[in-house]
Amino acid sequence: MDLKLIPNIKHAESDNFFLLAGPCAIEGEEMAMRIAEHILKVTDKLEIPTIFKGSFKKANRSRIDSFTGIGDEKALEILKKVGEKFGVPTVTDIHEASDAAFAAQYVDVLQIPAFLVRQTDLVVAAAKTGKVVNLKKGQFMSPDAMKHAVQKVLDSGNTQVTITDRGTMFGYQDMIVDFRGIPEMQKYAPTILDITHSLQQPNQASGVTGGKPELIETIARAGIAAGVDGLFLETHFDPANAKSDGANMLDLQHFEKLMTNLTAIRKVVKSL
């Protein structure tokens, strides 16, 4: 993937990691704008190329009464407004092949969720839009197996593809990041580390996913030290009351300190 080809990307020439960041789900326009403004103020100062993230629909829920969204078109319109107001590229996940062309009208990057990354029709539909395709590595897949998902995008005539590691299932209710996978997946595409979903504790007894957000910086530091190309994180100004994945999101008040620390580590790593 060539960052410079993504519309409105800033600091593409910097030697910093790039970032996909935002709330888990779009809950409304005010919250999306508030989070985007804070993120971009920080990343502009630190020269971090940034893509604003927000799910227009949460299709993978533990319980039928879990929040799934505010309406597909309404949420996508908000993502489009964020992109236009702040001059930033945007990314959202898609879940069905029919979502690809629809969502591509509003965002710059289409993300394939980890549980769906082997769905050929979905991956091909995303690739054929010509948008950047971000492939989340399945929790059940080895790093090397992601070469086949990347190849589906390439065979569809699209070279703008990235891989995101979001941990591997360890037992029934925990995730582990195997940092050996980063250089393995970098053979096939620029590789991103998801530093929030990697700390999920899925399928809790209550049917609500848990997490360990206190370890976000630990995972992020290790990823930067391992040479990852980019980071993915979900953040919210009130994680405890977020409508989705609040248990593993970064509190927005800690965002600047985390990015400052990681930028400093990146400079050291690049100097070695």
Side-chain angles (χ1 to χ4, degrees), residues 138-235:
Q139 301 94 319
F140 46 86
M141 293 174 66
S142 70
D144 185 64
M146 285 301 294
K147 64 186 176 186
H148 302 298
V150 171
Q151 195 61 48
K152 290 175 185 178
V153 177
L154 299 178
D155 288 346
S156 299
N158 189 338
T159 59
Q160 288 286 82
V161 58
T162 59
I163 301 170
T164 295
D165 192 355
R166 47 99 71 243
T168 301
M169 287 300 296
F170 185 78
Y172 288 103
Q173 293 178 332
D174 209 357
M175 309 291 293
I176 294 293
V177 178
D178 182 353
F179 292 95
R180 298 173 301 175
I182 291 173
E184 180 67 32
M185 290 184 288
Q186 284 175 323
K187 297 176 185 176
Y188 314 119
T191 299
I192 302 162
L193 178 61
D194 184 336
I195 61 175
T196 48
H197 288 103
S198 293
L199 294 166
Q200 277 187 337
Q201 294 181 305
N203 301 321
Q204 300 296 298
S206 65
V208 177
T209 294
K212 294 184 176 181
E214 67 274 13
L215 294 176
I216 289 173
E217 183 155 355
T218 300
I219 294 292
R221 284 171 176 255
I224 296 296
V228 77
D229 299 294
L231 295 177
F232 176 106
L233 75 89
E234 291 182 341
T235 183

Side-chain angles (χ1 to χ4, degrees), residues 46-259:
L46 296 174
E47 298 188 350
I48 302 172
T50 301
I51 300 169
F52 181 77
K53 182 267 170 191
S55 296
F56 77 94
K57 175 171 61 179
K58 300 302 296 182
N60 176 22
R61 301 285 83 194
S62 297
R63 301 188 332 199
I64 198 168
D65 60 347
S66 296
F67 174 81
T68 57
I70 60 174
D72 295 358
E73 189 167 4
K74 183 177 180 181
L76 286 167
E77 285 284 1
I78 290 171
L79 280 166
K80 184 177 180 181
K81 285 183 181 180
V82 169
E84 291 173 346
K85 179 175 180 178
F86 296 104
V88 62
T90 54
V91 55
T92 199
D93 354 35
I94 60 173
H95 306 88
E96 302 177 22
S98 59
D99 288 342
F102 176 48
Q105 300 174 69
Y106 300 89
V107 300
D108 304 288
V109 181
L110 297 177
Q111 181 168 283
I112 308 299
F115 281 123
L116 300 177
V117 75
R118 290 192 59 179
Q119 297 297 104
T120 300
D121 288 351
L122 179 62
V123 173
V124 170
K128 288 186 174 179
T129 66
K131 300 289 184 176
V132 178
V133 179
N134 182 34
L135 302 165
K136 299 292 284 286
K137 184 183 81 66
Q139 301 94 319
F140 46 86
M141 293 174 66
S142 70
D144 185 64
M146 285 301 294
K147 64 186 176 186
H148 302 298
V150 171
Q151 195 61 48
K152 290 175 185 178
V153 177
L154 299 178
D155 288 346
S156 299
N158 189 338
T159 59
Q160 288 286 82
V161 58
T162 59
I163 301 170
T164 295
D165 192 355
R166 47 99 71 243
T168 301
M169 287 300 296
F170 185 78
Y172 288 103
Q173 293 178 332
D174 209 357
M175 309 291 293
I176 294 293
V177 178
D178 182 353
F179 292 95
R180 298 173 301 175
I182 291 173
E184 180 67 32
M185 290 184 288
Q186 284 175 323
K187 297 176 185 176
Y188 314 119
T191 299
I192 302 162
L193 178 61
D194 184 336
I195 61 175
T196 48
H197 288 103
S198 293
L199 294 166
Q200 277 187 337
Q201 294 181 305
N203 301 321
Q204 300 296 298
S206 65
V208 177
T209 294
K212 294 184 176 181
E214 67 274 13
L215 294 176
I216 289 173
E217 183 155 355
T218 300
I219 294 292
R221 284 171 176 255
I224 296 296
V228 77
D229 299 294
L231 295 177
F232 176 106
L233 75 89
E234 291 182 341
T235 183
H236 197 287
F237 49 80
D238 187 10
N241 290 301
K243 295 182 181 297
S244 178
D245 281 1
N248 56 267
M249 275 200 278
L250 178 75
D251 192 314
L252 194 61
Q253 67 177 320
H254 302 311
F255 180 79
E256 183 168 8
K257 182 176 183 295
L258 176 63
M259 292 298 110

Side-chain angles (χ1 to χ4, degrees), residues 27-54:
E27 301 171 9
E29 184 171 335
E30 188 278 333
M31 66 83 69
M33 293 292 179
R34 178 176 171 183
I35 294 171
E37 183 175 25
H38 186 90
I39 287 173
L40 295 167
K41 180 180 178 181
V42 172
T43 58
D44 193 46
K45 179 170 68 173
L46 296 174
E47 298 188 350
I48 302 172
T50 301
I51 300 169
F52 181 77
K53 182 267 170 191

